[in-house]
Amino acid sequence: MILIRRDIVLKCNFSYFHYEEILINALYGGYKISSFHDPLHIDKQKDRILYIRHDIDVSPVKAAKMAEIETNLGIKATYFVLVNSPLYNIFDEHTLYFLRKIISLGHWIGLHIDLDLIENSNIKSIEKLAEILISVFGQFIHLTRVLSFHRPNPEVLNKKFNSFVNTYEYRFFSQIKYISDSRRIWKDHCPCKLLKEGRFNQLQLLTHPIWWGDEHDLRLILDKVIKEKNDDIKSYLSKNISPFKNILE
């Protein structure tokens, strides 16, 4: 049984501890967790529904940490993966370890789309990326065709696709409350209190794992991302390009 702390002290920030507080408040507020691919049928007068979404733009490592927090509370979320990310490679064993961990914890995986990274941003291009994602993770979990857009343009807002569920469809975006931590800023203030009070019957909560953790300064977050990427590049060059090995070591 999950113990919900009703006397929780709120200090709004982007720490993992406060993320746990946000989730606990959602449970205390009476919210049921739903997926995008199979939304719960609700009584709009009574039921409170929460869709939890994570766009993995930068760090699968931080995403896995958030997945652990959710699982410990009996909560599921949908994690959206960039197939063609310039910052992580879904075929790399290090990245695969953390993405598989998210799956093993019982969470859902969806496709994250950055239209700037697609030469021809049409449905066929998106379907090709979906096929790659399924080829990598299909053996571990039944993947649903759900997608989220990075920096969505007006063309995809409130749009319904025939072959995909869009997290920006009218039913998930305009018809219900939408809350995001984009740019490490809550548009309508931190959601911890409104979830605890149950102010809205239905919400979509979007977080970006890169913003969450023990680093409370944007420069520290940036430095850590750059250092980790540099370490990966140096390790690869040292192992595979012999003229660089002595220099790097």
Side-chain angles (χ1 to χ4, degrees):
M1 179 181 292
I2 300 168
L3 179 62
I4 301 176
R5 294 172 287 173
R6 300 192 177 192
D7 58 342
I8 205 160
V9 177
L10 298 173
K11 184 177 180 181
C12 299
N13 53 42
F14 287 88
S15 67
Y16 291 131
F17 179 76
H18 189 53
Y19 182 62
E20 182 183 26
E21 288 182 324
I22 291 171
L23 297 178
I24 290 171
N25 282 354
L27 295 176
Y28 175 62
Y31 286 94
K32 300 175 182 177
I33 311 303
S34 182
S35 68
F36 293 96
H37 62 275
D38 189 19
L40 294 174
H41 297 288
I42 68 166
D43 181 340
K44 293 184 179 180
Q45 301 300 319
K46 298 179 181 179
D47 294 336
R48 293 172 181 165
I49 304 296
L50 178 63
Y51 302 89
I52 302 177
R53 163 185 157 203
H54 302 285
D55 288 352
I56 309 178
D57 297 327
V58 180
S59 178
V61 178
K62 287 193 169 187
K65 176 62 179 178
M66 300 185 84
E68 287 181 339
I69 294 170
E70 291 159 347
T71 297
N72 288 338
L73 293 172
I75 287 175
K76 286 187 176 184
T78 307
Y79 286 79
F80 291 88
V81 179
L82 272 171
V83 169
N84 54 346
S85 169
L87 295 177
Y88 61 86
N89 181 357
I90 64 169
F91 294 99
D92 174 69
E93 282 302 319
H94 179 71
T95 299
L96 280 173
Y97 171 82
F98 290 101
L99 294 179
R100 287 171 181 167
K101 183 176 182 179
I102 291 170
I103 293 170
S104 70
L105 290 170
H107 300 286
W108 303 293
I109 295 291
L111 177 65
H112 195 34
I113 296 293
D114 185 343
L115 294 175
D116 290 340
L117 297 177
I118 305 176
E119 185 175 353
N120 297 311
S121 55
N122 53 41
I123 194 65
K124 288 185 178 179
S125 299
I126 293 174
E127 287 176 343
K128 288 180 181 178
L129 294 177
E131 289 172 4
I132 295 172
L133 189 67
I134 291 170
S135 70
V136 176
F137 297 107
Q139 60 182 307
F140 300 100
I141 190 172
H142 176 65
L143 290 171
T144 54
R145 297 171 74 83
V146 182
L147 58 84
S148 70
F149 288 93
H150 181 64
R151 293 179 300 178
N153 60 43
E155 294 180 1
V156 302
L157 296 179
N158 298 308
K159 180 175 181 179
K160 187 172 182 179
F161 294 91
N162 291 327
S163 52
F164 294 95
V165 174
N166 176 14
T167 58
Y168 287 105
E169 286 180 25
Y170 181 78
R171 57 178 171 156
F172 296 128
F173 182 62
S174 295
Q175 195 172 26
I176 66 175
K177 181 67 176 176
Y178 173 84
I179 305 174
S180 172
D181 68 351
S182 295
R183 301 185 299 280
R184 206 168 185 252
I185 299 171
W186 293 109
K187 182 179 178 182
D188 297 320
H189 305 291
C190 179
C192 57
K193 293 181 181 179
L194 66 85
L195 286 169
K196 186 176 183 180
E197 295 168 2
R199 294 184 201 172
F200 301 92
N201 272 12
Q202 293 189 63
L203 297 95
Q204 178 182 165
L205 177 65
L206 165 61
T207 73
H208 301 78
I210 186 57
W211 299 139
W212 295 82
D214 300 325
E215 309 88 8
H216 301 298
D217 183 270
L218 285 175
R219 185 173 293 279
L220 291 177
I221 295 174
L222 176 62
D223 288 345
K224 187 173 182 179
V225 170
I226 293 174
K227 182 182 183 304
E228 289 177 352
K229 192 64 179 178
N230 283 340
D231 289 345
D232 289 342
I233 293 172
K234 288 178 181 179
S235 176
Y236 178 83
L237 291 175
S238 179
K239 291 178 182 178
N240 296 282
I241 312 295
S242 55
F244 291 145
K245 183 175 182 180
N246 292 336
I247 298 173
L248 292 169
E249 291 182 351

